[in-house]
Amino acid sequence: MNEMIDEMDKEEFKSVFTKELINKILNMIEERKICLGNTIFLLKHAGYCAALKNEWSRCFEESSLNERFEAMIIEEEKKKEEKNEKLLVDLCECYALLGENDIFSEVLSIIVPCLLKVASKKEGNEETQKEVEMALPALSNVNAYYEMKRDLYLNEIKETMKYHQEHRNLTQLSYQSAWQFLYNRNFFFNELESVIVNELHCAREAARELEELSRNVDWKKKGGEKMNKEETKKEVILTRWIETFSIYFRDCRLRNEEYICLLSRIVQIYRAAKGNNGVISILCIQSLRTASDYGVVKVEDLLKSGAIDAVLEELNRPTLNEDMTNGCLQFFTNVSERLNEKNKDEKEEEERKVAKMEMFEKLEEEGFEDIITGFHETFEFFQRNYDCGLSLNAEDYFVNA
């Protein structure tokens, strides 16, 4: 059965793992047609495959088995004697992997310490490594809005990451999952930014991972050709990185020069995926749009990284996607607004003026005014259909020197 799950594509997986199937599995457990241990093993593998496919659904949360597992986790944790640690870990992993972030807090207060203990193991044997590889994707699915004490997780996850950076012992999915878990916590603890940015070097590490992942994908495949299983896994992990950084650029406020390298890598992936992988190329543009919207990334970084060139390239394409166009227009609205905001700091004001002039020359050279004028009649369509903040005044898209 596990081999069958491995072979399923995203759509097949979604059609098979339904609420009805999971409720049927519970009935089979109660009728003693299948043992609980085999069920947990099967569903845990299914949850891990869901992470590998970047596919989540609410079918498990809405099933009766979800409630059964919640009760079992709480019951096992309360045992003072004869506690079955392996069963508790298996239940926590299964529950977290199959959930879609709406894990209720009493269970989370058990799951997080339990899985962090597993994830922080450093023994070199194969069995321990498999446990770590399962625990981290499960942790990455813990609700971003669930607030937990900083000392509950920071040291463990930080040491896990530092150990990997030194020994390269984790799979690419598990390493990305560790970062995703930490990014989710940053929503509550702004003081974590120094750890994320300066100690663990999030942008540098993400840029390195993206480079390695993209190098193992054949971007030049023709439209009808399918990617092999290994390429598909790389694509999914690459997608998870880009999605995570879209959230990160929105929430983080600590600037760092390493962002230029990361943005450059996203630009390279956009160019490689353009015309071959619509999902990834859209994600890249949306990530650049988010980066343009907040002060964590300077406009100078967008210039140096080639982000502005990439967005202009997209607008100059003969056939345009609506999502991409909306993202591109929002990008230039953000850049224009930021370049027209004067800074009190003398050095930053001088940098703004230089960036503004460079931006003006680039837009003029690429015929940006003609592009925006050409889109002017369709802005209302984007406002209505995308609920976006595009300006109907064409002059708002220009950077006036």
Side-chain angles (χ1 to χ4, degrees):
M1 187 66 182
N2 283 346
E3 290 177 3
M4 290 174 62
I5 295 171
D6 289 339
E7 294 298 323
M8 291 178 186
D9 62 25
K10 213 170 178 180
E11 291 305 314
E12 289 171 332
F13 186 87
K14 191 187 299 185
S15 65
V16 169
F17 282 91
T18 61
K19 176 183 173 182
E20 290 71 27
L21 174 67
I22 294 173
N23 283 333
K24 188 174 181 180
I25 289 173
L26 176 59
N27 291 335
M28 291 173 70
I29 294 170
E30 291 172 344
E31 294 169 4
R32 299 183 182 278
K33 292 180 179 178
I34 182 173
C35 73
L36 180 63
N38 287 342
T39 303
I40 293 172
F41 182 74
L42 174 67
L43 291 178
K44 190 164 76 166
H45 185 77
Y48 185 79
C49 285
L52 275 175
K53 301 175 197 300
N54 207 27
E55 174 58 45
W56 309 106
S57 73
R58 303 187 70 88
C59 60
F60 177 74
E61 291 175 49
E62 295 169 353
S63 71
S64 302
L65 188 58
N66 175 65
E67 296 175 7
R68 172 76 176 269
F69 276 14
E70 284 176 356
M72 289 178 67
I73 289 169
I74 294 169
E75 182 184 347
E76 197 63 40
E77 173 63 19
K78 285 180 178 178
K79 289 181 181 178
K80 294 182 178 179
E81 297 179 1
E82 298 183 359
K83 183 185 293 187
N84 189 332
E85 293 288 350
K86 186 177 185 313
L87 174 61
L88 181 60
V89 169
D90 286 341
L91 284 167
C92 288
E93 287 175 344
C94 189
Y95 187 87
L97 282 165
L98 289 172
E100 195 189 27
N101 294 329
D102 287 342
I103 305 173
F104 106 95
S105 58
E106 184 180 356
V107 176
L108 266 183
S109 65
I110 301 170
I111 286 176
V112 173
C114 176
L115 296 186
L116 279 172
K117 184 179 178 181
V118 176
S120 60
K121 290 181 179 180
K122 295 182 176 63
E123 294 92 336
N125 63 71
E126 186 177 344
E127 185 179 346
T128 300
Q129 192 60 31
K130 285 182 179 179
E131 291 176 5
V132 173
E133 299 294 348
M134 191 68 73
L136 286 168
L139 278 169
S140 75
N141 207 34
V142 170
N143 194 324
Y145 296 97
Y146 173 70
E147 186 171 357
M148 62 187 77
K149 292 180 180 178
R150 173 179 167 171
D151 57 6
L152 177 64
Y153 64 88
L154 181 59
N155 289 336
E156 288 89 344
I157 206 74
K158 184 170 74 172
E159 288 308 309
T160 297
M161 288 174 166
K162 284 186 172 181
Y163 187 82
H164 171 73
Q165 288 171 5
E166 183 179 350
H167 299 278
R168 297 295 164 197
N169 64 311
L170 297 174
T171 63
Q172 288 169 318
L173 173 65
S174 294
Y175 189 46
Q176 188 280 329
S177 297
W179 275 109
Q180 189 167 323
F181 173 76
L182 194 54
Y183 289 149
N184 286 345
R185 312 283 72 75
N186 191 53
F187 182 86
F188 289 101
F189 302 109
N190 290 330
E191 66 269 23
L192 293 185
E193 290 180 359
S194 181
V195 173
I196 292 172
V197 175
N198 297 323
E199 283 190 57
L200 295 173
H201 300 280
C202 62
R204 184 191 68 192
E205 286 295 299
R208 186 191 55 75
E209 288 288 304
L210 289 175
E211 180 182 21
E212 188 173 333
L213 287 162
S214 61
R215 199 167 51 230
N216 289 287
V217 174
D218 183 2
W219 297 107
K220 295 182 180 179
K221 281 184 180 289
K222 294 179 181 177
E225 291 183 84
K226 285 189 175 181
M227 293 193 170
N228 62 45
K229 190 191 298 185
E230 210 49 48
E231 281 184 296
T232 304
K233 286 180 182 177
K234 304 293 184 186
E235 269 195 298
V236 168
I237 302 167
L238 190 149
T239 299
R240 283 168 64 105
W241 271 111
I242 298 172
E243 287 175 334
T244 301
F245 257 91
S246 289
I247 298 169
Y248 176 80
F249 284 140
R250 183 194 68 200
D251 293 336
C252 187
R253 290 292 178 273
L254 190 59
R255 290 179 174 177
N256 189 283
E257 288 187 0
E258 291 177 355
Y259 294 143
I260 298 174
C261 182
L262 174 60
L263 291 168
S264 298
R265 195 68 61 209
I266 293 173
V267 167
Q268 289 173 8
I269 292 169
Y270 157 74
R271 287 178 173 143
K274 186 171 59 175
N276 298 294
N277 189 308
V279 172
I280 288 181
S281 55
I282 288 174
L283 282 174
C284 288
I285 291 294
Q286 295 298 347
S287 184
L288 297 178
R289 182 200 65 77
T290 307
S292 73
D293 200 12
Y294 300 92
V296 66
V297 175
K298 294 183 178 181
V299 174
E300 299 94 296
D301 298 343
L302 298 172
L303 282 161
K304 291 176 183 177
S305 65
I308 287 164
D309 292 305
V311 178
L312 280 170
E313 285 172 24
E314 181 59 33
L315 287 178
N316 272 308
R317 295 184 71 190
T319 304
L320 296 176
N321 172 283
E322 290 174 9
D323 290 310
M324 297 281 265
T325 304
N326 176 51
C328 291
L329 294 174
Q330 293 275 15
F331 176 93
F332 281 112
T333 302
N334 296 337
V335 171
S336 184
E337 286 178 356
R338 289 178 60 186
L339 285 178
N340 283 308
E341 292 175 354
K342 293 185 177 180
N343 296 305
K344 292 181 180 179
D345 183 272
E346 193 173 315
K347 184 181 177 183
E348 288 191 3
E349 176 61 13
E350 188 59 35
E351 287 176 352
R352 180 191 72 86
K353 288 179 180 179
V354 171
K356 189 172 181 179
M357 179 58 71
E358 187 177 342
M359 184 74 174
F360 175 76
E361 290 172 353
K362 185 177 288 293
L363 297 184
E364 187 177 47
E365 181 182 335
E366 295 293 331
F368 185 63
E369 185 168 353
D370 291 336
I371 293 172
I372 294 301
T373 302
F375 278 120
H376 197 220
E377 295 301 319
T378 63
F379 285 162
E380 192 173 343
F381 164 81
F382 285 110
Q383 291 278 51
R384 185 172 62 251
N385 290 278
Y386 288 86
D387 191 28
C388 55
L390 292 172
S391 172
L392 297 179
N393 182 3
E395 291 182 358
D396 290 342
Y397 296 85
F398 307 136
V399 180
N400 299 306

